[in-house]
Each structure stands twice: as structure tokens, then as C-alpha cells.
Amino acid sequence: MTGVGAKAYDPGSASGECPVPLLRRPGAASRERTSELDRLLGRVAAGDTAAFERMYDEVAGAVYGLILRVVRDAAHAEEVAQEVLIEVWRSAPRYDPSRGGAMAWIMTMAHRRAVDRVRSEQAASDRADRAGRREITPAHDEVAENVEKRLEHERVRRCLDTLTPLQRESITLAYYEGYSYREVADMVATPLGTVKTRMRDGLIRLRNCLGVA
Amino acid sequence: MSDDLHLLAAAYALDAVADEDERRLFEAHLTGCASCAAEVRGFRTTAVRLGAAAVRTPPPGLRERVLAEIREVPQASPATAGADVIPLRSRRPGRTRFAVALTAACLVVAAVSVGVALNAQRSDRPGPADRTVAAVLSAPDARTVTGSVTSGGTVTVVFSRSRGRAVLTSSGLRSLPTEKTYEMWLIGPHGVRAGGLVRPGADGRVRTLVAGVLADANKVGLTVEPAAGSRQPTTRPIALLGI
């Protein structure tokens, strides 16, 4: 039985109000930027290198930041980010806009590559070491990003704060550290079903808090 | 105990399903479950927000190197069937890359062209049996249970009461001498029925997915039998999973 997880699952509070009203309305500006990104990717698909440059400026910070967060090592992160961005160029003609938007496509690719890197290339001791210094929320970039990115960062941090500590732990270990759900279950000595449930309940809560359709 | 296959949606969207077989089983399930696919999309979009919040200023040399390299890299031709192409592991040194390609090829053979062994009948091309497997994997009530095999390896059973079948897959099964085979059993209050022969490849994964008739079974077992299979188990089970 998935006892603990089943108890933790509370659809009422999962769909409940977020602490800050702003959180339920993703800004119109970010939606515009998304469609702008889709338009750029369409031009990239046609081999437009100038469009690729503009797209680079839009996404490179998020791509590099996420990869750095997962692989932890700046040199490795740079290498993986380069691979991903070149892969974006290479496979842009295969991008299907009906499947969730350009940003999701690019970031999913970045995340998979980063996870792939930590799973295949880092020694077990290295991973254990990383586990020792896990952080819950994304680190702040000292170099000033634009205001909208800061707001988004703050929004995500606040939404992460609405999760139970156990939900937050399983989601961050998986997404930001690249651990599989089986590894997470081992690390926190919890049954597999419970970990799967925590991840699901936590993501539902996050999804609602962030106003994802 | 078995878990609802849907429960994997979040772990899948977080790229936290590391086992390739498990991932493929879930992807097969997604093709037939529109609500699961929609849930995965929402979870992915949520994960992307987590990812984008980790934004950092990229190292200064990266832009120039990327822009220089794309001028040398040809673009792919558009995918024929609108496939969601998210390539993994494309830059490995030769040997690893080959091994990965080989593993992927084996899995594709297992999961896609599914030459299914139904009661020891093997076929090389997709037939009714393949459709049976696909129907189980994509069933809305598909559930999954994994257990270890005493002689080594694990087996995973995906079963659907509505489809009345159980599909068994494995990893790390030890290879047997040619005169022996693994056989799947469906065990219920009214007896034990043969589910099909399970033949692992050199990597211990089943080459052909077996879809046994579920009926009133509440356990799935695995035994070692003579190569032709048995009508009833002749040895002690090396795996026994409650379903």
C-alpha cells in the first residue's frame, strides 16, 4: 500500500489558493515572449542564423542555469549547454509546435542531457558528495537578470514553499539533482509507491500554484 | 504491491524514471491514455518553470562558440510523422555509443515490433498477439508490479483487468542452457495456468513480451522449465508477484 503517500495526498489543498495572488496569473509578458520564441524557432528551422542568435539570447541563461544546477560543475555545464544549444539548431526542423511550446521543448532537452550526464559519468562517490550539499531552492544569480526573470524566480520559490517538506524533497532531488525516483526512495528510505505519490501530489500543487493550464 | 501505472506520470515528467524498460512501458501506456498524456504535458510545463527559475548568466565564451559551431552543423530534415524528437546521448565515444544503440535497438524490438510469445508461439512480425500486448500497455486500468528473481534479475508485470491480460518483461535474468526456458504462470484460486515462455536475450531482458490470460489470477510466477515449456510448473517459482 502507498499508505503514507495516500494520506499526504490532499486534493483540496493541492488545488487551493496560493499565498500570493500574483502567483495564479502568469504574466501576459511571459506568454508573449513564449510565442515570440516559437516564431523565432520557426525561422531557425528554416536555417536562419540571425534568428538563432536572438533565440540564444532568450534561452541560453535558462539552459545553462538548469544544466549547472543538475551537473554542479561549471566546466561540465558549459559543455552540456553547448551540446544542447547546438542540438536545438540541428533538430529545429523537427520541432512540433503542437507539443507544448518552444521553451518546454528546449528545456526538456537541456534537462534530459544534464540528467544523462550525471547518471552516466559521475562516480558514485561524487553523487554521494552532491547529496550532502543539496539545496532546496534555486540559487540566485548574482549578476542581475531582468526584472521579469527575478519575479519568475521569486514565484517559483514561493510555490515550492507551499509544498510539504517531503514533497519538496522528492521533487528537488529528482529534478534539480537528477536522481531517479528509485534512488530517491532509497535515499529517504521510503517505499517506491509513496515516493511516486509525493512527486505527483507535489507537482499537482506546484502546477496549480504556478497557474499552468 | 502493485501501483497504478498513472502514478508514474510525475516521475516521468521529472525525467526520474531511469529504467529504460519501465520508461518504455509507460510511454506505451501514454499512447492509449489521453488523460495521462495531458497530465504529463502539464507536469512537464511545471518542471520547465522550475528549470527556468535556475537561470544563470552563461559563461562569456559560450555564445561565440555555439554561434561558430552552428555554421558547421547541418540541420536535420523534418521528421516524417511529427515525432517528438528529443535525442539522448548523441555524443558518446564510439564504443559506448554502439552499446547504447544496440540496447536501444533491442528495446525497440521488444517494445515496438513485439514479436509476442503467446504460449510458446513465436512470430517475427507484428500480429494479433502484438496488438494484445499494446492493448494491455495502453489500458486505462493498467497496473504494474515489479519483483526480484531469486536467481538474479527482476521481472515487471503490467496487467489490466479490463483487457484480461498480464504482460511480463524482465531485466538481468540469467541466461539458461538451451534445454531450459523460463515460463510465466498465472496463479488463481482455481489453479495455475501457463502464461507463456520467457526468453531473455544476452542482456537478461525479454526479447518477446509475453501476454498471459489473466482470468482470476492473483499471482504471477516464474519458473525454469524444459525448453518446450510445461503445462504445469515442475520447479519451485523463482519469482512470485501478487497482482
Side-chain angles (χ1 to χ4, degrees), chain A residues 119-183:
Chain A
R119 284 193 192 144
S120 63
E121 286 171 19
Q122 282 192 317
S125 60
D126 199 6
R127 300 207 74 189
D129 179 44
R130 292 192 315 128
R133 47 195 170 87
R134 33 174 134 131
E135 304 155 41
I136 292 303
T137 48
H140 239 305
D141 192 358
E142 292 308 320
V143 187
E145 282 290 341
N146 66 44
V147 174
E148 201 192 328
K149 281 179 181 157
R150 283 214 115 99
L151 279 177
E152 170 70 1
H153 179 100
E154 190 56 20
R155 222 175 267 146
V156 169
R157 199 187 59 75
R158 299 187 95 121
C159 285
L160 274 171
D161 282 347
T162 68
L163 306 189
T164 69
L166 293 173
Q167 290 170 347
R168 195 161 51 233
E169 176 183 56
S170 55
I171 287 177
T172 53
L173 280 175
Y175 193 72
Y176 286 138
E177 312 275 334
Y179 288 104
S180 71
Y181 81 86
R182 286 176 191 274
E183 289 171 323

Side-chain angles (χ1 to χ4, degrees), chain A residues 181-201:
Chain A
Y181 81 86
R182 286 176 191 274
E183 289 171 323
V184 172
D186 275 351
M187 291 167 74
V188 301
T190 303
L192 290 174
T194 309
V195 166
K196 286 191 271 187
T197 306
R198 275 181 199 162
M199 287 180 176
R200 184 167 182 275
D201 295 348

Side-chain angles (χ1 to χ4, degrees), chain A:
Chain A
M1 255 317 281
T2 54
V4 178
K7 253 180 281 163
Y9 180 40
D10 176 359
S13 60
S15 58
E17 287 301 315
C18 287
V20 179
L22 168 74
L23 303 186
R24 295 186 69 88
R25 293 183 271 112
S30 83
R31 267 200 302 276
E32 271 158 34
R33 205 185 55 218
T34 304
S35 61
E36 163 74 4
L37 201 57
D38 271 279
R39 219 172 45 75
L40 278 177
L41 191 55
R43 283 170 50 199
V44 171
D48 184 338
T49 54
F52 183 84
E53 270 187 58
R54 288 183 53 199
M55 197 186 71
Y56 178 98
D57 294 335
E58 280 295 321
V59 304
V63 166
Y64 173 73
L66 173 58
I67 293 169
L68 178 64
R69 184 68 214 253
V70 176
V71 308
R72 295 299 174 106
D73 175 277
H76 285 169
E78 187 169 352
E79 213 177 288
V80 177
Q82 183 170 341
E83 279 180 29
V84 167
L85 290 160
I86 287 161
E87 191 57 44
V88 167
W89 162 263
R90 209 187 64 79
S91 51
R94 296 191 173 169
Y95 165 66
D96 176 359
S98 71
R99 302 184 79 129
M103 192 63 179
W105 183 66
I106 294 168
M107 292 298 279
T108 300
M109 201 187 303
H111 189 256
R112 286 192 184 171
R113 283 287 178 101
V115 164
D116 197 27
R117 170 65 72 108
V118 291
R119 284 193 192 144
S120 63
E121 286 171 19
Q122 282 192 317
S125 60
D126 199 6
R127 300 207 74 189
D129 179 44
R130 292 192 315 128
R133 47 195 170 87
R134 33 174 134 131
E135 304 155 41
I136 292 303
T137 48
H140 239 305
D141 192 358
E142 292 308 320
V143 187
E145 282 290 341
N146 66 44
V147 174
E148 201 192 328
K149 281 179 181 157
R150 283 214 115 99
L151 279 177
E152 170 70 1
H153 179 100
E154 190 56 20
R155 222 175 267 146
V156 169
R157 199 187 59 75
R158 299 187 95 121
C159 285
L160 274 171
D161 282 347
T162 68
L163 306 189
T164 69
L166 293 173
Q167 290 170 347
R168 195 161 51 233
E169 176 183 56
S170 55
I171 287 177
T172 53
L173 280 175
Y175 193 72
Y176 286 138
E177 312 275 334
Y179 288 104
S180 71
Y181 81 86
R182 286 176 191 274
E183 289 171 323
V184 172
D186 275 351
M187 291 167 74
V188 301
T190 303
L192 290 174
T194 309
V195 166
K196 286 191 271 187
T197 306
R198 275 181 199 162
M199 287 180 176
R200 184 167 182 275
D201 295 348
L203 269 189
I204 288 172
R205 204 177 271 205
L206 262 185
R207 183 187 69 194
N208 294 341
C209 182
L210 288 167
V212 171

Side-chain angles (χ1 to χ4, degrees), chain B residues 3 6 16 42 73 77 90 128 161 172 208 233-234 237:
Chain B
D3 284 318
H6 302 328
V73 175
S77 53
S90 72
R161 296 279 169 199
T208 50
T234 63

